[in-house]
Amino acid sequence: MARLIREPIIPITEIEQSAFCRTEESLEAKPLEEELKAPVRWQRLPKEYMGLEPKELHGRIAEAKVKLGARLVVLGHHYQRDEIIQFADFRGDSLLLCQNAAQQKEAEFIVFCGVHFMAETADILTTSQQQVILPNITAGCSMADMASTEDVLDAWDDITDVVGTGVVPVTYMNSTAAIKALCGENGGSACTSSNASAVFDWAFQQGSKVLFLPDQHLGRNTGFKLGIPLDEMVVWNPFKPLGGLTPEEITNARIILWQGHCSVHTRFKVSQIEEARRQFPNVQVVVHPECTREVVEAADENGSTEFIIRTVNESAPGSVLAIGTEINLVNRLAQENPDKTVFCLDPVVCPCSTMYRIHPAYLTWVLEGLLEGHVANQITVDDKTAYHAKTALDRMLALR
């Protein structure tokens, strides 16, 4: 049983999260050399791309896409900048985009404008002849980084030492391929925010407990939705012996939540909801279930990214909606629904700092490289990891 005490490690992606936060400045792209002043890690590009204006980058991306034709598919996550999303052949959440990629059998290159775990999943679901590319290799995910393989393996050993069998590991899509593989190999599944309830129901048919990775808030909100009391959920702290829990607490828990969170969605507070209701008494507050329990309880509705988009698009003209999710998506929803008032709960403009690193210069660089026969930033998952991770993904897809 692992008993080592380690100093807490904060992922650098979490430390960097506020790097692009601002109060008034717009999110329009600037030349990359200006954006590099932000205190985050950037992949360095050839000097010729550094000072290019967004307008020129736009033209070069468009030209490269035309030349590459059907050999190329560009995927754009909803949280991407407008200057990137406009070039996406498909846009959606991480799972939808990976499914889109898997359906494009003729494409040689899948350029995933998202973050690392998404590109890994796309590599798992596409053929061995297709190459998945991440435009900026430093575009990671702080939530995924909060569940390292070593820590999760230690936790799995500790928990099974205490309770034996009956624990079903479930991981959110926002996790590394290695964590998905661990779940697949041990009888578990992956899940999305839209089918987490269905996966939990399935998991409790397989065993008596769920180990949920890596977002404690989605896990807690899902468990509570299914009628599981909060006192039957515990949080596993990977930096404390036995997760900071007693054997009795582990034995009595129905859900063991990994101590992870989304850096974007934990910015939303009950006080922001109260202020929105003060300004707009008829406001409808819709938040993502990665928000804290208190925020979800204070909101009118909560659901996945696709649920939020559908709720806004289907609301009546004149509706007022306060949204608790990433700012690029909220701004886009407001632009696409001019007959409604749509705004972000957080008054500070704070985009996801890793998604935001997919600057147009990176997309230009990888596409022009493909035209020259050079594949940059290819993301690959080894065969064993991919096999077990796909098992977890297949179980998830069967429950949608």
Side-chain angles (χ1 to χ4, degrees):
M1 185 177 295
R3 292 286 183 180
L4 294 177
I5 300 176
R6 298 194 293 113
E7 287 295 319
I9 299 173
I10 302 175
I12 191 166
T13 43
E14 169 75 357
I15 296 171
E16 294 172 337
Q17 174 52 36
S18 62
F20 299 104
C21 294
R22 59 203 75 180
T23 54
E24 297 178 0
E25 191 177 358
S26 77
L27 291 172
E28 291 184 3
K30 302 175 182 177
L32 184 57
E33 63 184 4
E34 292 186 37
E35 296 205 15
L36 284 177
K37 297 174 183 176
V40 299
R41 294 163 303 144
W42 293 91
Q43 181 177 3
R44 308 304 294 190
L45 290 186
K47 188 175 180 180
E48 64 185 276
Y49 291 94
M50 300 298 290
L52 295 177
E53 293 288 340
K55 184 176 181 180
E56 181 174 354
L57 292 168
H58 178 283
R60 289 171 65 162
I61 293 169
E63 181 180 359
K65 281 200 69 181
V66 169
K67 290 180 179 178
L68 288 163
R71 300 172 63 202
L72 170 74
V73 170
V74 176
L75 306 177
H77 190 275
H78 287 305
Y79 296 174
Q80 287 293 304
R81 310 160 178 252
D82 287 343
E83 293 91 349
I84 294 296
I85 208 76
Q86 64 183 314
F87 291 109
D89 298 302
F90 299 94
R91 75 182 193 184
D93 62 16
S94 57
L95 177 63
L96 179 60
L97 291 175
C98 290
Q99 290 175 306
N100 290 148
Q103 294 166 2
Q104 310 309 306
K105 304 298 185 183
E106 302 304 315
E108 296 176 48
F109 310 114
I110 310 292
V111 175
F112 208 127
C113 297
V115 294
H116 197 274
F117 77 81
M118 300 177 189
E120 283 188 327
T121 304
D123 183 61
I124 292 166
L125 295 178
T126 52
T127 69
S128 58
Q129 288 74 41
Q130 295 174 299
Q131 298 176 83
V132 177
I133 296 164
L134 184 65
N136 184 340
I137 206 67
T138 66
C141 171
S142 60
M143 183 198 296
D145 292 343
M146 290 175 192
S148 73
T149 306
E150 180 183 1
D151 287 342
V152 175
L153 286 171
D154 284 346
W156 181 250
D157 288 343
D158 281 356
I159 293 167
T160 53
D161 282 347
V162 171
V163 301
T165 59
V167 183
V168 180
V170 175
T171 187
Y172 190 24
M173 278 290 291
N174 300 31
S175 58
T176 64
I179 299 304
K180 293 182 179 74
L182 182 149
C183 291
E185 189 173 7
N186 289 281
S189 176
C191 78
T192 68
S193 52
S194 58
N195 81 338
S197 293
V199 174
F200 271 47
D201 281 337
W202 169 86
F204 281 118
Q205 293 171 14
Q206 317 306 310
S208 58
K209 298 181 190 298
V210 167
L211 169 62
F212 186 73
L213 305 149
D215 181 17
Q216 61 171 305
H217 302 298
L218 176 61
R220 184 178 294 109
N221 289 324
T222 302
F224 191 82
K225 180 180 178 181
L226 295 176
I228 297 175
L230 294 177
D231 61 7
E232 293 184 14
M233 305 184 216
V234 295
V235 177
W236 184 277
N237 182 339
F239 304 108
K240 293 184 177 182
L242 210 62
L245 304 169
T246 66
E248 183 180 23
E249 287 173 321
I250 295 171
T251 300
N252 293 336
R254 293 186 65 191
I255 300 178
I256 301 170
L257 303 165
W258 192 262
Q259 186 176 276
H261 63 268
C262 172
S263 305
V264 170
H265 290 106
T266 50
R267 287 186 56 84
F268 299 109
K269 309 296 180 187
V270 173
S271 59
Q272 295 167 349
I273 295 177
E274 293 170 344
E275 178 60 20
R277 296 197 192 283
R278 188 189 68 78
Q279 292 188 29
F280 302 95
N282 63 332
V283 70
Q284 181 181 6
V285 180
V286 188
V287 302
H288 196 282
E290 292 175 18
C291 294
T292 64
R293 179 75 215 138
E294 295 75 18
V295 168
V296 167
E297 286 181 336
D300 297 304
E301 295 188 76
N302 72 92
S304 67
T305 300
E306 298 297 336
F307 172 85
I308 292 172
I309 293 170
R310 187 167 61 251
T311 298
V312 174
N313 290 340
E314 295 178 358
S315 63
S319 297
V320 180
L321 300 105
I323 308 299
T325 195
E326 205 275 342
I327 186 64
N328 278 295
L329 173 59
V330 178
N331 286 347
R332 197 169 298 125
L333 287 171
Q335 294 166 7
E336 294 173 354
N337 290 270
D339 58 341
K340 304 156 193 173
T341 300
V342 181
F343 63 95
C344 187
L345 279 170
D346 190 351
V348 178
V349 177
C350 202
C352 173
S353 70
T354 49
M355 289 279 190
Y356 199 66
R357 271 174 253 197
I358 307 295
H359 183 278
Y362 289 96
L363 184 54
T364 307
W365 172 63
V366 297
L367 296 186
E368 292 183 344
L370 293 177
L371 289 171
E372 297 171 358
H374 173 64
V375 178
N377 293 357
Q378 182 179 357
I379 303 300
T380 59
V381 179
D382 67 87
D383 290 345
K384 181 180 179 181
T385 301
Y387 175 83
H388 291 299
K390 190 172 186 301
T391 299
L393 292 166
D394 286 343
R395 288 179 181 138
M396 173 190 71
L397 291 171
L399 295 166
R400 285 185 68 80

